[in-house]
Amino acid sequence: MSDAVWTIETPVPVIAPMVDVVARPGANRIEWRFGAPEYTVVRLERADAENGAYERIDAEIGSEGVTSYAIDRSAQAGVDYWYKLIALHTGSEVTFGPFAARAQSLSFALSRIAPNPSSSGPVRVEFALPRDARVRV
């Protein structure tokens, strides 16, 4: 056993994000949290195979609290896709991934109510249907 004291003179950045790929009916949702706040996602890329050609996709990007997300609504049910997050950090691009997902078939989907719990004020409820239809909430 040693009596040595260790001191870190310079903070060590943690860049590895927490990433979760959620297969949803009619879409894939990629969620992440970076270990350092100076990372910003600039795009999401997708391929049909892990070592395939990745192309930028038009994904809905947003955030809920400390978790950011991208939703790929162009994903076809039952097809395997691979994703990469391309982030910007101090002027340089950093790639995270690949991450795999397979969109589920859509029958009816209802998201979490946000904010939850809700004491007063407006709430947001997202839903999805496999085709155009009348909906009464």
Side-chain angles (χ1 to χ4, degrees), residues 7-43:
T7 304
I8 298 175
E9 299 291 331
T10 306
V12 178
V14 177
I15 61 170
M18 177 288 306
V19 177
D20 189 19
V21 182
V22 181
R24 292 187 160 192
N28 286 326
R29 179 179 166 117
I30 298 86
E31 300 176 349
W32 67 91
R33 277 187 256 158
F34 287 119
E38 59 272 5
Y39 282 83
T40 56
V41 168
V42 292
R43 69 181 181 273

Side-chain angles (χ1 to χ4, degrees), residues 8-86:
I8 298 175
E9 299 291 331
T10 306
V12 178
V14 177
I15 61 170
M18 177 288 306
V19 177
D20 189 19
V21 182
V22 181
R24 292 187 160 192
N28 286 326
R29 179 179 166 117
I30 298 86
E31 300 176 349
W32 67 91
R33 277 187 256 158
F34 287 119
E38 59 272 5
Y39 282 83
T40 56
V41 168
V42 292
R43 69 181 181 273
L44 181 69
E45 295 181 350
R46 182 180 79 190
D48 294 332
E50 183 175 8
N51 296 320
Y54 285 81
E55 295 182 9
R56 182 182 188 147
I57 61 169
D58 185 26
E60 172 189 334
I61 296 179
S63 64
E64 295 172 347
V66 297
T67 301
S68 297
Y69 64 85
I71 300 175
D72 177 9
R73 296 189 192 281
S74 66
Q76 296 178 10
V79 177
D80 291 324
Y81 293 104
W82 293 85
Y83 296 94
K84 289 183 180 180
L85 291 173
I86 311 301

Side-chain angles (χ1 to χ4, degrees), residues 106-119:
L106 178 65
S107 58
F108 172 79
L110 184 64
S111 73
R112 295 178 288 187
I113 296 174
N116 187 9
S118 176
S119 58

